Amino acid sequence: MSDFDLKVEVREIPLSQLSENTGQIPDVPENPRKISDEAFALLKKSITESPEMKQLDEIKVFPWKKGFVAIGGNHRLRAYKELDWKNVRCKILPADTPKEKLCEYIMKENMQYASNDPYKLQSWDQEQLADWGVDVPMMESNINIDEFF
């Protein structure tokens, strides 16, 4: 259990003041996540179709020099920049956040603790799921064994 009391500020910040985490903060490694070109295109499509979601999931940033470095949301930040957004809603971590905590937040922000249940996904609109880029595993009942012989 942590005894660090995290107080964040939430506000819109110009994209010109935001940087992706490339390891520029001493003792805080660069963002380890990667994204395929296809997944990045889906992310940009998602942002374009549902821009209001920026109100639900802010970019988590740390003040650094005269700007901010993304601790969580690096790919979204890159997408916003490529889509020519001017500002984005951010949660600003305090400048005295310990480097160990920054590293912890980077990793925990990107962990996948859960996955979709393929059986439950069957009750969803399959065309919408495909449009949103949701990977729906093929169910055994949908496999035509004759296609393989």
Side-chain angles (χ1 to χ4, degrees), residues 18-139:
L18 301 171
S19 300
E20 293 175 51
N21 175 11
T22 59
Q24 64 271 59
I25 302 169
D27 301 319
V28 178
E30 69 182 293
N31 179 35
R33 299 283 286 179
K34 63 181 181 176
I35 189 168
S36 69
D37 292 342
E38 297 82 14
F40 187 68
L42 286 169
L43 173 60
K44 288 185 358 183
K45 179 181 180 218
S46 173
I47 289 170
T48 301
E49 290 177 346
S50 303
E52 71 279 5
M53 285 189 65
K54 77 172 185 167
Q55 302 298 105
L56 301 172
D57 192 16
E58 301 92 348
I59 305 289
K60 286 80 172 177
V61 298
F62 180 74
W64 181 249
K65 298 195 175 180
K66 294 184 180 184
F68 301 89
V69 174
I71 297 302
N74 279 271
H75 297 307
R76 281 181 288 129
L77 174 57
R78 187 174 128 220
Y80 289 133
K81 286 183 176 185
E82 287 191 17
L83 292 168
D84 292 323
W85 282 44
K86 301 301 177 219
N87 301 297
V88 69
R89 189 171 171 89
C90 296
K91 281 186 179 169
I92 304 169
L93 299 165
D96 64 348
T97 303
K99 303 298 191 267
E100 299 80 24
K101 281 292 180 185
L102 293 176
C103 293
E104 179 182 341
Y105 299 152
I106 290 167
M107 293 312 290
K108 288 184 175 180
E109 171 83 6
N110 291 302
M111 302 233 353
Q112 301 296 322
Y113 293 104
S115 59
N116 291 322
D117 181 327
Y119 294 99
K120 290 179 181 177
L121 284 177
Q122 298 304 307
S123 65
W124 284 67
D125 182 305
Q126 299 301 299
E127 286 183 30
Q128 278 185 326
L129 292 176
D131 190 47
W132 296 335
V134 176
D135 185 26
V136 180
M138 185 177 286
M139 305 297 293

